[in-house]
Structure formats: structure tokens, C-alpha cells
Amino acid sequence: EHDLYSAGGGFLQIVEVLAFIFRGNPGVVLLDEPDSHLNSSLQHAFVDILEGLATARNFQVLMATHSKEIINYVDPSRLTPIDRKSHKAQALKSETSTVTVLKELGVIDNVDAYQIVKQRAILIVEGPTDRELIPRLAAKAGSTLFDGQSRVSILPAAGVDRLSDGSGLQFVEHLLQHQVKCLLVRDRDALTDDWTKTLAGKSKRPMFIWPRDCLESYLVIPAAIRQILVEELGEPNAPTLKVTEDLVSKITSAMYEETQDRVAARLQDVEWRFNNHNRIDAAQANPLARAEMDKAWKQAGNPLVLASGKVILSRVREAIQAKWKVSFGNARIIEAMKSTDVHLDIKELLSQAKKQLT
């Protein structure tokens, strides 16, 4: 229940659109700048509501907007820029960096700044991609950690180096003149098990390191990828789940040698940076890398522990674009996921974040 007489204009604006959808049961919904009078949080919520309803009630939404909040929030494959001079419209491809560029205009907005001041709690991640994807995955898992008045704010640290030295958090604490509860989240980035434990132990702040190589590794889900192809091509023309699984498996298997080289290079890097500038050469690093690869890839049968999820998804997208002319981004994969597709590692992060930050 909600008192509509005391509701704000933005809230009523969304109610108007939803009333139209439920009353008219349309096949297509045309919206002309519905973001006017909506704050950033309401714009995000509105997009989520429309995406959920469009899937549940089987209709299409076409929205004209100038809102950076919405452009920044939706998957790039959903965007169709219109050139006013040429009057041409052309969909963005998933590899386009438009969203990334827009995010770099400001890593934190006023709403998040207010939440940090109020809650004095931050989840600090490596960059804008993690900041966008973690709340989406949380919502898919049924978590409200990043929703509502008491939500936890996410702050990108602009890279693992800034994450490690904690300079971003120090700056926030200096501004607030108060200590902030935090949880640092970083990619594994081809680290061995021993070095994962060592770096977590060395951190002066609570740290969660993804057990798989990176957050994108948890989006390598053939069933969700196939669902996108079904939505774009129709069931008769979409590849089977087996074909999609084979494509992902083939691309991942082909990365064995380069992943082993990557693990060896990471060993040399972390030994130098975190072990008193101890240098190890390739002759020392390669056997250690082979042993780690054998343990994760062959014995455990889990290549996603060390193989780059970012690279796997990039190559899968390239192959799908070449064969089926379909493009999609990470947010689209999460849309297509089932709640049961959310990995236990993600749920563990959400559990730790709730314990540490609320």
C-alpha cells in the first residue's frame, strides 16, 4: 500500500506508465523521455521494472532518452544511438566502449555519496564493471543488500593497485572524518591458491578474492547465452544448448597454454611486488604454474579458476557475432540467467558483505 496523494512526481510518473501497461496489455510500449523528473535511483529501478515486465508479459519497450543514468545502466546491446544530422540509427555492438566512457565521467554520484555518509559502509571493487554487475547479480539472487534506504554503496577503486593500497578508502575517510566499514573485492587474476591466501592475509582491511579468475568468470553460463540467442533468433533458428556448450568449451580449452603462461607471469609479478622484491625467473615460475594448472584444470576440471573469464566471454561474443550476428553485453547475460545460475561464490560474497557492512 502507498499513499498516492503524498507521493512525489517521479513516483507517480512511473505509476502512470505501469497503469498503462497493465490496463492495455500492449505488445509494444513507446516511451518518450520517461526519465524526466526521476532521480538516478528511480531511473535504475524503472529500467529494472520494465525489463522484468517485458520478459514476463512478452512485450517490447522502445524508449527515447538523453539520460546518462539510463544509457550508463542498460546493456550496450540495448542501445541504438540516433544521429540527428544523418537521421540514421545504428545499434551499438557489445564491444563498444560507450558505457565505459560514460562511467569514467564520475565514479560516484551524489546519491551514493549520501549513502556512504549515512551508512559509513562501502563495498570497494576494482572498477566500474564490477560496480554495475554485482548489484544485478545480487538482485538475481534475491538479495536486497544494494536496494532501499539502507543499501550498501559500491565504490570502484580504479584498478587493483588502488584497491591494494586502500588510497580510495583513505580519501573517503578523510572527507568524512570517520572510519568506514568496508569490504574489498578483487579478482583472482591467475593467482595461485597460496598467493590468494597470502594477499588476503596481508590486507589491512577485510578482503574477498573471487575463487574464480574474475567476476566475469561467473557469467560463462552456456544456458544463459543460449537464452539470449533464442530471444534474438527465435527457438527454431537458435543453436541447441549442446552446440552452445561445445562452443564455450572449445574456446576455453584452446586457452590452456596462454593461461599457463599467464599464471607463470603472475607468479613472477607477485613475488617481486609482495615478497621483498624477490625475483624468480621463468625456469622457476613455469613448473609452479604447471602444477597449479594441473590441479585446477585437469584434476578439479574447473578451468574458470585460472582462465580469464573476460577473455572467454569476449571470444564467445566474437564467435556468436560472426556466426549468428547477435551482440550482447554482461548485463544481458544476467538478465537471461535463472536465480539458480547465481554461483555459490557470489552468494558467499553477499553473505560476507552483509555481515561486514550492515
Side-chain angles (χ1 to χ4, degrees):
E1 293 184 1
H2 197 92
D3 181 5
L4 296 182
Y5 286 100
S6 63
F11 183 91
L12 292 176
Q13 190 167 300
I14 293 177
V15 171
E16 260 190 272
V17 174
L18 296 181
F20 166 77
I21 291 171
F22 282 108
R23 185 181 180 188
N25 196 29
V28 178
V29 175
L30 304 177
L31 299 173
D32 185 19
E33 299 190 26
D35 45 87
S36 58
H37 308 113
L38 301 185
N39 63 39
S40 58
S41 295
L42 273 179
Q43 288 183 41
H44 294 174
F46 189 40
V47 169
D48 289 338
I49 290 168
L50 287 174
E51 286 181 342
L53 282 176
T55 300
R57 299 175 72 89
N58 195 30
F59 62 82
Q60 183 181 22
V61 178
L62 297 177
M63 179 192 299
T65 182
H66 297 280
S67 167
K68 288 182 180 179
E69 289 288 348
I70 291 178
I71 295 169
N72 192 28
Y73 189 64
V74 302
D75 189 277
S77 63
R78 303 290 204 200
L79 300 176
T80 304
I82 298 175
D83 189 322
R84 288 185 174 182
K85 293 182 179 179
S86 64
H87 301 290
K88 290 183 178 179
Q90 185 172 1
L92 287 180
K93 295 182 179 179
S94 61
E95 63 269 19
T96 304
S97 60
T98 302
V99 170
T100 302
V101 171
L102 286 171
K103 286 182 178 177
E104 293 303 321
L105 294 176
V107 296
I108 188 166
D109 60 21
N110 289 333
V111 175
D112 276 336
Y114 172 74
Q115 281 299 118
I116 292 171
V117 171
K118 188 173 74 168
Q119 300 295 114
R120 294 196 174 102
I122 318 175
L123 188 74
I124 302 184
V125 298
E126 288 191 33
T129 298
D130 289 9
R131 184 192 185 196
E132 175 197 357
L133 298 183
I134 288 175
R136 290 177 180 270
L137 287 165
K140 183 65 69 169
S143 170
T144 58
L145 190 64
F146 307 105
D147 297 329
Q149 295 296 317
S150 60
R151 72 182 183 277
V152 170
S153 291
I154 303 179
L155 184 66
V160 70
D161 291 333
R162 295 288 297 277
L163 187 74
S164 299
D165 65 25
S167 56
L169 182 59
Q170 290 167 12
F171 175 69
V172 171
E173 289 182 329
H174 176 73
L175 288 177
L176 296 180
Q177 295 294 301
H178 195 285
Q179 189 170 5
V180 172
K181 294 182 290 185
C182 76
L183 178 62
L184 310 180
V185 182
R186 65 164 290 167
D187 292 342
R188 181 180 181 123
D189 278 335
L191 287 171
T192 63
D193 285 341
D194 288 342
W195 265 110
T196 299
K197 294 172 185 174
T198 299
L199 291 187
K202 283 177 175 285
S203 176
K204 296 178 181 178
R205 310 269 188 167
M207 176 178 283
F208 180 92
I209 301 178
W210 291 112
R212 289 184 176 181
D213 185 73
C214 57
L215 178 57
E216 287 85 349
S217 301
Y218 296 97
L219 304 184
V220 183
I221 304 173
I225 294 170
R226 182 188 181 263
Q227 178 59 33
I228 294 170
L229 293 170
V230 169
E231 291 171 6
E232 294 291 332
L233 304 172
E235 183 69 50
N237 300 317
T240 65
L241 179 58
K242 179 67 165 58
V243 169
T244 312
E245 289 173 338
D246 288 346
L247 173 65
V248 173
S249 177
K250 181 180 178 182
I251 287 171
T252 305
S253 298
M255 292 172 58
Y256 186 90
E257 294 297 331
E258 67 182 88
T259 301
Q260 182 170 294
D261 291 342
R262 181 168 170 252
V263 173
R266 287 290 285 143
L267 273 168
Q268 292 177 285
D269 176 53
V270 292
E271 284 285 349
W272 169 253
R273 291 173 59 194
F274 299 106
N275 197 11
N276 297 321
H277 290 183
N278 176 44
R279 290 187 181 277
I280 64 171
D281 57 23
Q284 295 170 288
N286 287 337
L288 295 172
R290 278 196 297 272
E292 199 74 17
M293 289 287 291
D294 186 67
K295 181 171 61 175
W297 204 296
K298 295 180 179 178
Q299 295 176 26
N302 192 3
L304 293 173
V305 168
L306 296 172
S308 170
K310 295 180 178 74
V311 174
I312 293 171
L313 285 179
S314 175
R315 293 177 183 176
V316 167
R317 288 189 183 100
E318 288 174 4
I320 288 174
Q321 173 65 29
K323 188 164 185 177
W324 291 289
K325 309 302 180 192
V326 173
S327 296
F328 55 90
N330 293 332
R332 185 79 182 278
I333 297 176
I334 297 173
E335 286 176 34
M337 287 169 57
K338 298 178 181 177
S339 59
T340 52
D341 291 328
V342 180
H343 197 275
L344 288 175
D345 292 344
I346 295 169
K347 294 178 180 178
E348 176 60 24
L349 168 67
L350 297 173
S351 175
Q352 286 193 30
K354 185 174 183 179
K355 188 184 300 182
Q356 294 276 354
L357 306 177
T358 62

